[in-house]
Amino acid sequence: MSAEFDNALNTLMGGLSRPKEDEDILFLETLVDWLVELCGDDESKWKSLVLALTYKRYHLKAPEAKMSLKEALADKKSDNSSSTRGTVGNGERRIFYIAITHLFQKLLNEEKSNDLVASALDCLIQIAPLAGGSRDVCTLIESFVGAVLDSNESLMERNAQCLDFFGQESLSLLVTSGVKLCMDGIQNDKAQETLNNLLQVAADTLDEDKNILEARATGESDKDNKDTALPSTLHVFVPHRDRGKPRKKKGKKTATPATTAKKVPNRQLHNTVAELLIWSRTSLMSSNKAFAGSYNRILESSSDNISNDSKLKAKKALQCLHTIIRKERKKFNEFARKEGFMLSDLFRQDRDALKYQQIVKGKDGDINKLTKLATKSGATNVLSLITTRFASDPSKITHFESVQSLVQGWVTATELDGDTEVDKEVAKQLKEIQLARLKATIRQLRQAYKRTEREIVLASLDSTVDSHVAALLIAAALGKWEIDTDGDAQMSDADTPVDSVGCNLHLPGGVVHTVDSIKKVCDLLMSIISSDPVIFPSMADSDGSATIKAVVNMVERYLKENQTLLAVSSVDLKLPPESIETLVKRNCSIHRHDVDDIQERLNREGAKNGDITISLSWDTHDDLDLHVFLPTGVEISYANRACVEGKATLDVDMNASSPYSNTPVENVFVGDVDKHEEAPHGKYKVVVQNYGYHAKNATSTTEIPWQVVVNKNGEKEKFTGKCLNTGEASDVVACEFEYTGRTVPYKEKEQSPEAAANTVNITTSVGRTLEALTQAIKAVGQQEQMDEVRQLLNEDESGEQTEERPTLSATYEVTNRDRNNMLIFQLPARFQTIVNKVFGGGEL
């Protein structure tokens, strides 16, 4: 592969964040065009491009990941497995959608079919349900149909013509034209085939789901069998006619201008057409005469005739189709409620009506919500059912999604104390549930770790609960003791030396804990969460983050030859020259994992830094808002984003409207650090408000945890809290402070950790989610894997070494080809099989 292709592919895989603005989307599409051009006729490059896009999308909750975990749990030696396939990926769906849709548009717009682009799309259509799920299939269908309709000038002209005659009711005629166009009106045969294949994937899934529902209804399916198939969630995401329909805007959302009120929105047209195209490929066409008759009348109607009679016929046929489809969707929704996919709703209605089979079939998120509700209300019978579900089938255990969810959801010994029998029973059941979830979390993380010869030194250098808990989970994942043994450490491999069963965890102040059993994990976890971490002045700043001195101390005292330091810390690794020299001499590497991802979120959104910077982060889809009161009395918020006199600007405001993010951030900067412009002096007040809940089951008693970071004079202060209710009733004062001016000099731009990584093997990862910890665990084995990949690539077809190449430890150079291949290699083998089957040839 050429270096140019390697570099471009690495930009896609590693250096590209979620597109937010039109220019971001344009950059991504331009990058895809460039990669397509560089691929040319080289099938191996096309394979790499397909797998690179797969890497961007794949995540721990993907169907393929769940399948891999279930298979691993069935293997008694799963804890010792050396395979790392199936646990790597970014989980970034927007890049995945935009890139694939752009490839389809290229195919659609070309007069002569590009077989290699078509083959790439064929692979991605097969991979999408496995790497992303039902949502991906439906989103791509909407995008593909939209590309076909929007590219047809005649249809767009007819849209305007219909509006002149009939206004909003012209949708019936537009749908008629759109369905016929997507059925057989695409000029490029490969594009037509690609769309048909994608539509058939959705239709086949709906038919399979419908068969499952019918088997349950007739008693042909064994409800008590835990392996009995369940319907997918495709019916939740499948396009439908109301999606994209104009809605009345409320609050801070801008109302639709009156001049465009009559226009049929493109997205509503895309969804209505896509809905009919999908359902017309299901068994409804053969089993429901009314559906088939109405659909055929649409195909037989003349879309060129926009007379009133033509409009009424099309409208009547559409109404019949929509009624039948709505009834089908209702069947799926009723099944979901009955089987326990909406358990929290059922609990609120009648907690005593919940049955074990509903708990068994419940979705992960619903089980977690139900556990909280049952604990709060003392519903011991429900907690007992959840415990039984976990005990009977380990694959049903819901692991903690993030460090924050573990810390907030873990109930300490003090909280478990109670006088009544009910309190004691609740405590007992909850402890069993917590332990089961903790084991599932460790088991999930162990799937990510490929054991290497390099010894790992693990340290939590920040004096924060989140950092210590993250490091503890990583220590448990690196160990080799049996997860399901509650007592002292036992080796999970007869050949494992006793001293390597556990993993040593270094905490601030020279404290070292050997994490060698689930009991030790629980004891340490209880200790960390129930007591404030001790801050050692020489090792931590005022906000609890470690100093460079702490990192240097770890390198000099504990890091020996050929070892890797995995440091959980927010400090940038700007090591002094002598420390870097020590690392090189000892052939050591460092990976830093920052649990606090607020800076990554700010970078993702392009937030600016001020002389004073105030940032808010939270981890739900809800719409929290940041309010900053300046010394002048002016309030900066979504309603007043900038104040020239106060030199303040709200430049990032998230979750005001869809699409909602579960990693949102808001940012206000005062003054300009780049221009050395000081913020106004005086008193500042920071308030956090919940503008509105977006979660379906949220109530006025639902708490939303948040974190505010104030960055001034080169120091960061962190404040945490929770919002309850909405509007002014939810207001919480995060902090107040007096600013008297800058007391430290402005810093020139310094070398980043990433830049330092070009000199010595220093890598970084960020985040509190389980997926983020997975990336940190994978990184510790990266150096040895790089050597393996390089040696493999240097072999000729006979399998012999063609030349002696220096290893990474000798040169500390890592090429983009090495990085790309290492990440691609760790994807599930099924993806590689799909790609090889379509393109031919062996593995990359």
PDB file of all heavy atoms in Angstrom, residues 332-361:
ATOM      1  N   PHE A 332     -45.920  -5.250  17.234  1.00  0.00           N
ATOM      2  CA  PHE A 332     -44.554  -5.302  17.770  1.00  0.00           C
ATOM      3  C   PHE A 332     -44.464  -4.560  19.102  1.00  0.00           C
ATOM      4  O   PHE A 332     -43.825  -5.021  20.043  1.00  0.00           O
ATOM      5  CB  PHE A 332     -43.568  -4.698  16.765  1.00  0.00           C
ATOM      6  CG  PHE A 332     -43.265  -5.575  15.593  1.00  0.00           C
ATOM      7  CD1 PHE A 332     -43.730  -5.257  14.326  1.00  0.00           C
ATOM      8  CD2 PHE A 332     -42.518  -6.734  15.740  1.00  0.00           C
ATOM      9  CE1 PHE A 332     -43.455  -6.063  13.241  1.00  0.00           C
ATOM     10  CE2 PHE A 332     -42.232  -7.545  14.659  1.00  0.00           C
ATOM     11  CZ  PHE A 332     -42.707  -7.216  13.406  1.00  0.00           C
ATOM     12  N   ASN A 333     -45.098  -3.390  19.185  1.00  0.00           N
ATOM     13  CA  ASN A 333     -45.045  -2.595  20.417  1.00  0.00           C
ATOM     14  C   ASN A 333     -45.724  -3.318  21.578  1.00  0.00           C
ATOM     15  O   ASN A 333     -45.236  -3.296  22.717  1.00  0.00           O
ATOM     16  CB  ASN A 333     -45.696  -1.234  20.193  1.00  0.00           C
ATOM     17  CG  ASN A 333     -44.884  -0.357  19.262  1.00  0.00           C
ATOM     18  OD1 ASN A 333     -43.663  -0.495  19.176  1.00  0.00           O
ATOM     19  ND2 ASN A 333     -45.541   0.542  18.555  1.00  0.00           N
ATOM     20  N   GLU A 334     -46.860  -3.958  21.297  1.00  0.00           N
ATOM     21  CA  GLU A 334     -47.566  -4.692  22.345  1.00  0.00           C
ATOM     22  C   GLU A 334     -46.747  -5.883  22.827  1.00  0.00           C
ATOM     23  O   GLU A 334     -46.705  -6.190  24.018  1.00  0.00           O
ATOM     24  CB  GLU A 334     -48.931  -5.162  21.818  1.00  0.00           C
ATOM     25  CG  GLU A 334     -49.932  -4.027  21.637  1.00  0.00           C
ATOM     26  CD  GLU A 334     -51.244  -4.506  21.052  1.00  0.00           C
ATOM     27  OE1 GLU A 334     -51.284  -5.661  20.547  1.00  0.00           O
ATOM     28  OE2 GLU A 334     -52.217  -3.742  21.080  1.00  0.00           O
ATOM     29  N   PHE A 335     -46.069  -6.549  21.909  1.00  0.00           N
ATOM     30  CA  PHE A 335     -45.214  -7.672  22.283  1.00  0.00           C
ATOM     31  C   PHE A 335     -44.072  -7.195  23.168  1.00  0.00           C
ATOM     32  O   PHE A 335     -43.736  -7.827  24.177  1.00  0.00           O
ATOM     33  CB  PHE A 335     -44.660  -8.351  21.031  1.00  0.00           C
ATOM     34  CG  PHE A 335     -43.692  -9.465  21.333  1.00  0.00           C
ATOM     35  CD1 PHE A 335     -44.140 -10.744  21.595  1.00  0.00           C
ATOM     36  CD2 PHE A 335     -42.322  -9.223  21.356  1.00  0.00           C
ATOM     37  CE1 PHE A 335     -43.248 -11.770  21.878  1.00  0.00           C
ATOM     38  CE2 PHE A 335     -41.423 -10.241  21.639  1.00  0.00           C
ATOM     39  CZ  PHE A 335     -41.899 -11.514  21.900  1.00  0.00           C
ATOM     40  N   ALA A 336     -43.469  -6.058  22.788  1.00  0.00           N
ATOM     41  CA  ALA A 336     -42.352  -5.518  23.559  1.00  0.00           C
ATOM     42  C   ALA A 336     -42.770  -5.222  24.989  1.00  0.00           C
ATOM     43  O   ALA A 336     -42.058  -5.536  25.949  1.00  0.00           O
ATOM     44  CB  ALA A 336     -41.815  -4.256  22.890  1.00  0.00           C
ATOM     45  N   ARG A 337     -43.942  -4.647  25.155  1.00  0.00           N
ATOM     46  CA  ARG A 337     -44.417  -4.331  26.503  1.00  0.00           C
ATOM     47  C   ARG A 337     -44.712  -5.605  27.293  1.00  0.00           C
ATOM     48  O   ARG A 337     -44.370  -5.742  28.467  1.00  0.00           O
ATOM     49  CB  ARG A 337     -45.671  -3.459  26.423  1.00  0.00           C
ATOM     50  CG  ARG A 337     -46.173  -2.989  27.776  1.00  0.00           C
ATOM     51  CD  ARG A 337     -47.370  -2.072  27.620  1.00  0.00           C
ATOM     52  NE  ARG A 337     -47.006  -0.826  26.999  1.00  0.00           N
ATOM     53  CZ  ARG A 337     -46.483   0.214  27.644  1.00  0.00           C
ATOM     54  NH1 ARG A 337     -46.262   0.123  28.946  1.00  0.00           N
ATOM     55  NH2 ARG A 337     -46.190   1.325  27.019  1.00  0.00           N
ATOM     56  N   LYS A 338     -45.342  -6.560  26.627  1.00  0.00           N
ATOM     57  CA  LYS A 338     -45.718  -7.812  27.294  1.00  0.00           C
ATOM     58  C   LYS A 338     -44.495  -8.612  27.714  1.00  0.00           C
ATOM     59  O   LYS A 338     -44.464  -9.221  28.790  1.00  0.00           O
ATOM     60  CB  LYS A 338     -46.592  -8.638  26.357  1.00  0.00           C
ATOM     61  CG  LYS A 338     -47.065  -9.962  26.958  1.00  0.00           C
ATOM     62  CD  LYS A 338     -47.932 -10.717  25.966  1.00  0.00           C
ATOM     63  CE  LYS A 338     -48.381 -12.053  26.554  1.00  0.00           C
ATOM     64  NZ  LYS A 338     -49.198 -12.827  25.597  1.00  0.00           N
ATOM     65  N   GLU A 339     -43.460  -8.614  26.876  1.00  0.00           N
ATOM     66  CA  GLU A 339     -42.287  -9.444  27.147  1.00  0.00           C
ATOM     67  C   GLU A 339     -41.283  -8.792  28.095  1.00  0.00           C
ATOM     68  O   GLU A 339     -40.279  -9.383  28.448  1.00  0.00           O
ATOM     69  CB  GLU A 339     -41.585  -9.791  25.833  1.00  0.00           C
ATOM     70  CG  GLU A 339     -42.366 -10.749  24.964  1.00  0.00           C
ATOM     71  CD  GLU A 339     -42.532 -12.102  25.627  1.00  0.00           C
ATOM     72  OE1 GLU A 339     -41.534 -12.668  26.100  1.00  0.00           O
ATOM     73  OE2 GLU A 339     -43.671 -12.587  25.694  1.00  0.00           O
ATOM     74  N   GLY A 340     -41.547  -7.547  28.463  1.00  0.00           N
ATOM     75  CA  GLY A 340     -40.667  -6.934  29.453  1.00  0.00           C
ATOM     76  C   GLY A 340     -39.656  -5.966  28.907  1.00  0.00           C
ATOM     77  O   GLY A 340     -38.654  -5.686  29.561  1.00  0.00           O
ATOM     78  N   PHE A 341     -39.871  -5.464  27.691  1.00  0.00           N
ATOM     79  CA  PHE A 341     -38.931  -4.501  27.141  1.00  0.00           C
ATOM     80  C   PHE A 341     -39.230  -3.088  27.641  1.00  0.00           C
ATOM     81  O   PHE A 341     -38.545  -2.149  27.299  1.00  0.00           O
ATOM     82  CB  PHE A 341     -38.963  -4.520  25.608  1.00  0.00           C
ATOM     83  CG  PHE A 341     -38.652  -5.870  25.032  1.00  0.00           C
ATOM     84  CD1 PHE A 341     -39.040  -6.207  23.756  1.00  0.00           C
ATOM     85  CD2 PHE A 341     -37.967  -6.818  25.775  1.00  0.00           C
ATOM     86  CE1 PHE A 341     -38.756  -7.455  23.222  1.00  0.00           C
ATOM     87  CE2 PHE A 341     -37.671  -8.067  25.255  1.00  0.00           C
ATOM     88  CZ  PHE A 341     -38.074  -8.381  23.976  1.00  0.00           C
ATOM     89  N   MET A 342     -40.295  -2.919  28.406  1.00  0.00           N
ATOM     90  CA  MET A 342     -40.647  -1.627  28.990  1.00  0.00           C
ATOM     91  C   MET A 342     -40.982  -1.860  30.468  1.00  0.00           C
ATOM     92  O   MET A 342     -42.026  -1.479  30.968  1.00  0.00           O
ATOM     93  CB  MET A 342     -41.834  -1.012  28.245  1.00  0.00           C
ATOM     94  CG  MET A 342     -41.588  -0.827  26.754  1.00  0.00           C
ATOM     95  SD  MET A 342     -43.039  -0.247  25.881  1.00  0.00           S
ATOM     96  CE  MET A 342     -42.508  -0.391  24.181  1.00  0.00           C
ATOM     97  N   LEU A 343     -40.082  -2.518  31.164  1.00  0.00           N
ATOM     98  CA  LEU A 343     -40.336  -2.965  32.525  1.00  0.00           C
ATOM     99  C   LEU A 343     -40.580  -1.818  33.504  1.00  0.00           C
ATOM    100  O   LEU A 343     -41.392  -1.937  34.416  1.00  0.00           O
ATOM    101  CB  LEU A 343     -39.152  -3.804  33.008  1.00  0.00           C
ATOM    102  CG  LEU A 343     -38.962  -5.153  32.305  1.00  0.00           C
ATOM    103  CD1 LEU A 343     -37.656  -5.784  32.752  1.00  0.00           C
ATOM    104  CD2 LEU A 343     -40.118  -6.079  32.589  1.00  0.00           C
ATOM    105  N   SER A 344     -39.847  -0.726  33.331  1.00  0.00           N
ATOM    106  CA  SER A 344     -40.020   0.389  34.261  1.00  0.00           C
ATOM    107  C   SER A 344     -41.428   0.955  34.184  1.00  0.00           C
ATOM    108  O   SER A 344     -41.999   1.358  35.205  1.00  0.00           O
ATOM    109  CB  SER A 344     -38.981   1.482  33.976  1.00  0.00           C
ATOM    110  OG  SER A 344     -38.991   1.838  32.610  1.00  0.00           O
ATOM    111  N   ASP A 345     -42.018   0.970  32.977  1.00  0.00           N
ATOM    112  CA  ASP A 345     -43.407   1.429  32.829  1.00  0.00           C
ATOM    113  C   ASP A 345     -44.355   0.492  33.557  1.00  0.00           C
ATOM    114  O   ASP A 345     -45.264   0.922  34.278  1.00  0.00           O
ATOM    115  CB  ASP A 345     -43.790   1.493  31.340  1.00  0.00           C
ATOM    116  CG  ASP A 345     -43.144   2.673  30.636  1.00  0.00           C
ATOM    117  OD1 ASP A 345     -42.628   3.566  31.344  1.00  0.00           O
ATOM    118  OD2 ASP A 345     -43.141   2.700  29.406  1.00  0.00           O
ATOM    119  N   LEU A 346     -44.165  -0.812  33.365  1.00  0.00           N
ATOM    120  CA  LEU A 346     -45.038  -1.793  33.997  1.00  0.00           C
ATOM    121  C   LEU A 346     -44.921  -1.742  35.525  1.00  0.00           C
ATOM    122  O   LEU A 346     -45.913  -1.902  36.245  1.00  0.00           O
ATOM    123  CB  LEU A 346     -44.691  -3.197  33.499  1.00  0.00           C
ATOM    124  CG  LEU A 346     -45.033  -3.495  32.038  1.00  0.00           C
ATOM    125  CD1 LEU A 346     -44.530  -4.879  31.654  1.00  0.00           C
ATOM    126  CD2 LEU A 346     -46.531  -3.409  31.794  1.00  0.00           C
ATOM    127  N   PHE A 347     -43.707  -1.507  36.011  1.00  0.00           N
ATOM    128  CA  PHE A 347     -43.494  -1.440  37.456  1.00  0.00           C
ATOM    129  C   PHE A 347     -44.284  -0.283  38.056  1.00  0.00           C
ATOM    130  O   PHE A 347     -44.894  -0.419  39.134  1.00  0.00           O
ATOM    131  CB  PHE A 347     -42.002  -1.278  37.754  1.00  0.00           C
ATOM    132  CG  PHE A 347     -41.671  -1.203  39.222  1.00  0.00           C
ATOM    133  CD1 PHE A 347     -41.490  -2.356  39.960  1.00  0.00           C
ATOM    134  CD2 PHE A 347     -41.547   0.025  39.861  1.00  0.00           C
ATOM    135  CE1 PHE A 347     -41.190  -2.291  41.316  1.00  0.00           C
ATOM    136  CE2 PHE A 347     -41.254   0.094  41.207  1.00  0.00           C
ATOM    137  CZ  PHE A 347     -41.073  -1.066  41.940  1.00  0.00           C
ATOM    138  N   ARG A 348     -44.262   0.852  37.383  1.00  0.00           N
ATOM    139  CA  ARG A 348     -44.997   2.011  37.894  1.00  0.00           C
ATOM    140  C   ARG A 348     -46.508   1.764  37.905  1.00  0.00           C
ATOM    141  O   ARG A 348     -47.226   2.276  38.757  1.00  0.00           O
ATOM    142  CB  ARG A 348     -44.670   3.251  37.049  1.00  0.00           C
ATOM    143  CG  ARG A 348     -43.230   3.753  37.217  1.00  0.00           C
ATOM    144  CD  ARG A 348     -43.044   5.071  36.505  1.00  0.00           C
ATOM    145  NE  ARG A 348     -41.685   5.587  36.665  1.00  0.00           N
ATOM    146  CZ  ARG A 348     -40.728   5.437  35.776  1.00  0.00           C
ATOM    147  NH1 ARG A 348     -40.972   4.786  34.657  1.00  0.00           N
ATOM    148  NH2 ARG A 348     -39.527   5.922  35.989  1.00  0.00           N
ATOM    149  N   GLN A 349     -46.981   0.969  36.920  1.00  0.00           N
ATOM    150  CA  GLN A 349     -48.413   0.690  36.835  1.00  0.00           C
ATOM    151  C   GLN A 349     -48.849  -0.323  37.896  1.00  0.00           C
ATOM    152  O   GLN A 349     -49.837  -0.130  38.599  1.00  0.00           O
ATOM    153  CB  GLN A 349     -48.765   0.166  35.438  1.00  0.00           C
ATOM    154  CG  GLN A 349     -48.560   1.201  34.334  1.00  0.00           C
ATOM    155  CD  GLN A 349     -48.677   0.590  32.951  1.00  0.00           C
ATOM    156  OE1 GLN A 349     -49.100  -0.546  32.802  1.00  0.00           O
ATOM    157  NE2 GLN A 349     -48.305   1.353  31.938  1.00  0.00           N
ATOM    158  N   ASP A 350     -48.104  -1.429  38.009  1.00  0.00           N
ATOM    159  CA  ASP A 350     -48.459  -2.476  38.964  1.00  0.00           C
ATOM    160  C   ASP A 350     -47.233  -3.348  39.203  1.00  0.00           C
ATOM    161  O   ASP A 350     -46.958  -4.292  38.453  1.00  0.00           O
ATOM    162  CB  ASP A 350     -49.624  -3.322  38.422  1.00  0.00           C
ATOM    163  CG  ASP A 350     -50.101  -4.370  39.424  1.00  0.00           C
ATOM    164  OD1 ASP A 350     -49.542  -4.409  40.549  1.00  0.00           O
ATOM    165  OD2 ASP A 350     -51.020  -5.134  39.088  1.00  0.00           O
ATOM    166  N   ARG A 351     -46.511  -3.050  40.272  1.00  0.00           N
ATOM    167  CA  ARG A 351     -45.256  -3.764  40.531  1.00  0.00           C
ATOM    168  C   ARG A 351     -45.471  -5.254  40.785  1.00  0.00           C
ATOM    169  O   ARG A 351     -44.593  -6.065  40.527  1.00  0.00           O
ATOM    170  CB  ARG A 351     -44.537  -3.142  41.726  1.00  0.00           C
ATOM    171  CG  ARG A 351     -45.230  -3.335  43.053  1.00  0.00           C
ATOM    172  CD  ARG A 351     -44.500  -2.653  44.188  1.00  0.00           C
ATOM    173  NE  ARG A 351     -44.488  -1.214  44.006  1.00  0.00           N
ATOM    174  CZ  ARG A 351     -43.939  -0.374  44.889  1.00  0.00           C
ATOM    175  NH1 ARG A 351     -43.354  -0.850  45.976  1.00  0.00           N
ATOM    176  NH2 ARG A 351     -43.964   0.911  44.679  1.00  0.00           N
ATOM    177  N   ASP A 352     -46.641  -5.622  41.304  1.00  0.00           N
ATOM    178  CA  ASP A 352     -46.908  -7.026  41.616  1.00  0.00           C
ATOM    179  C   ASP A 352     -47.258  -7.843  40.375  1.00  0.00           C
ATOM    180  O   ASP A 352     -47.327  -9.074  40.440  1.00  0.00           O
ATOM    181  CB  ASP A 352     -48.056  -7.137  42.632  1.00  0.00           C
ATOM    182  CG  ASP A 352     -47.670  -6.527  43.978  1.00  0.00           C
ATOM    183  OD1 ASP A 352     -46.489  -6.636  44.354  1.00  0.00           O
ATOM    184  OD2 ASP A 352     -48.554  -5.926  44.629  1.00  0.00           O
ATOM    185  N   ALA A 353     -47.498  -7.155  39.261  1.00  0.00           N
ATOM    186  CA  ALA A 353     -47.890  -7.860  38.039  1.00  0.00           C
ATOM    187  C   ALA A 353     -46.688  -8.358  37.246  1.00  0.00           C
ATOM    188  O   ALA A 353     -46.839  -9.140  36.300  1.00  0.00           O
ATOM    189  CB  ALA A 353     -48.746  -6.954  37.156  1.00  0.00           C
ATOM    190  N   LEU A 354     -45.481  -7.893  37.610  1.00  0.00           N
ATOM    191  CA  LEU A 354     -44.284  -8.309  36.881  1.00  0.00           C
ATOM    192  C   LEU A 354     -44.009  -9.790  37.087  1.00  0.00           C
ATOM    193  O   LEU A 354     -44.032 -10.289  38.210  1.00  0.00           O
ATOM    194  CB  LEU A 354     -43.077  -7.490  37.337  1.00  0.00           C
ATOM    195  CG  LEU A 354     -42.942  -6.079  36.755  1.00  0.00           C
ATOM    196  CD1 LEU A 354     -41.851  -5.320  37.470  1.00  0.00           C
ATOM    197  CD2 LEU A 354     -42.657  -6.133  35.270  1.00  0.00           C
ATOM    198  N   LYS A 355     -43.744 -10.483  35.975  1.00  0.00           N
ATOM    199  CA  LYS A 355     -43.475 -11.921  36.010  1.00  0.00           C
ATOM    200  C   LYS A 355     -42.005 -12.192  35.663  1.00  0.00           C
ATOM    201  O   LYS A 355     -41.332 -11.389  35.008  1.00  0.00           O
ATOM    202  CB  LYS A 355     -44.383 -12.655  35.021  1.00  0.00           C
ATOM    203  CG  LYS A 355     -45.872 -12.468  35.303  1.00  0.00           C
ATOM    204  CD  LYS A 355     -46.261 -13.138  36.620  1.00  0.00           C
ATOM    205  CE  LYS A 355     -47.770 -13.098  36.823  1.00  0.00           C
ATOM    206  NZ  LYS A 355     -48.275 -11.749  37.073  1.00  0.00           N
ATOM    207  N   TYR A 356     -41.532 -13.360  36.096  1.00  0.00           N
ATOM    208  CA  TYR A 356     -40.136 -13.729  35.873  1.00  0.00           C
ATOM    209  C   TYR A 356     -39.777 -13.736  34.383  1.00  0.00           C
ATOM    210  O   TYR A 356     -38.702 -13.268  33.994  1.00  0.00           O
ATOM    211  CB  TYR A 356     -39.843 -15.096  36.485  1.00  0.00           C
ATOM    212  CG  TYR A 356     -38.432 -15.578  36.221  1.00  0.00           C
ATOM    213  CD1 TYR A 356     -37.332 -14.911  36.774  1.00  0.00           C
ATOM    214  CD2 TYR A 356     -38.196 -16.680  35.403  1.00  0.00           C
ATOM    215  CE1 TYR A 356     -36.050 -15.334  36.526  1.00  0.00           C
ATOM    216  CE2 TYR A 356     -36.908 -17.107  35.146  1.00  0.00           C
ATOM    217  CZ  TYR A 356     -35.829 -16.430  35.719  1.00  0.00           C
ATOM    218  OH  TYR A 356     -34.555 -16.841  35.455  1.00  0.00           O
ATOM    219  N   GLN A 357     -40.685 -14.252  33.541  1.00  0.00           N
ATOM    220  CA  GLN A 357     -40.389 -14.321  32.112  1.00  0.00           C
ATOM    221  C   GLN A 357     -40.211 -12.941  31.511  1.00  0.00           C
ATOM    222  O   GLN A 357     -39.437 -12.749  30.577  1.00  0.00           O
ATOM    223  CB  GLN A 357     -41.514 -15.075  31.373  1.00  0.00           C
ATOM    224  CG  GLN A 357     -41.477 -16.589  31.558  1.00  0.00           C
ATOM    225  CD  GLN A 357     -40.145 -17.168  31.113  1.00  0.00           C
ATOM    226  OE1 GLN A 357     -39.569 -16.773  30.116  1.00  0.00           O
ATOM    227  NE2 GLN A 357     -39.632 -18.116  31.886  1.00  0.00           N
ATOM    228  N   GLN A 358     -40.922 -11.947  32.049  1.00  0.00           N
ATOM    229  CA  GLN A 358     -40.740 -10.576  31.576  1.00  0.00           C
ATOM    230  C   GLN A 358     -39.372 -10.049  31.976  1.00  0.00           C
ATOM    231  O   GLN A 358     -38.702  -9.370  31.187  1.00  0.00           O
ATOM    232  CB  GLN A 358     -41.841  -9.682  32.158  1.00  0.00           C
ATOM    233  CG  GLN A 358     -43.242 -10.009  31.637  1.00  0.00           C
ATOM    234  CD  GLN A 358     -44.313  -9.199  32.346  1.00  0.00           C
ATOM    235  OE1 GLN A 358     -44.303  -9.085  33.571  1.00  0.00           O
ATOM    236  NE2 GLN A 358     -45.225  -8.624  31.582  1.00  0.00           N
ATOM    237  N   ILE A 359     -38.946 -10.378  33.191  1.00  0.00           N
ATOM    238  CA  ILE A 359     -37.623  -9.950  33.657  1.00  0.00           C
ATOM    239  C   ILE A 359     -36.531 -10.602  32.813  1.00  0.00           C
ATOM    240  O   ILE A 359     -35.552  -9.968  32.428  1.00  0.00           O
ATOM    241  CB  ILE A 359     -37.425 -10.324  35.146  1.00  0.00           C
ATOM    242  CG1 ILE A 359     -38.518  -9.713  36.015  1.00  0.00           C
ATOM    243  CG2 ILE A 359     -36.034  -9.915  35.617  1.00  0.00           C
ATOM    244  CD1 ILE A 359     -38.385  -8.270  36.294  1.00  0.00           C
ATOM    245  N   VAL A 360     -36.697 -11.877  32.507  1.00  0.00           N
ATOM    246  CA  VAL A 360     -35.710 -12.623  31.723  1.00  0.00           C
ATOM    247  C   VAL A 360     -35.508 -11.993  30.348  1.00  0.00           C
ATOM    248  O   VAL A 360     -34.388 -11.891  29.845  1.00  0.00           O
ATOM    249  CB  VAL A 360     -36.129 -14.101  31.573  1.00  0.00           C
ATOM    250  CG1 VAL A 360     -35.262 -14.805  30.539  1.00  0.00           C
ATOM    251  CG2 VAL A 360     -36.009 -14.821  32.905  1.00  0.00           C
ATOM    252  N   LYS A 361     -36.597 -11.556  29.724  1.00  0.00           N
ATOM    253  CA  LYS A 361     -36.528 -11.010  28.372  1.00  0.00           C
ATOM    254  C   LYS A 361     -36.274  -9.508  28.342  1.00  0.00           C
ATOM    255  O   LYS A 361     -36.184  -8.916  27.275  1.00  0.00           O
ATOM    256  CB  LYS A 361     -37.832 -11.305  27.622  1.00  0.00           C
ATOM    257  CG  LYS A 361     -38.166 -12.796  27.502  1.00  0.00           C
ATOM    258  CD  LYS A 361     -37.090 -13.582  26.786  1.00  0.00           C
ATOM    259  CE  LYS A 361     -37.481 -15.047  26.614  1.00  0.00           C
ATOM    260  NZ  LYS A 361     -36.412 -15.838  25.993  1.00  0.00           N
TER     261      LYS A 361
END
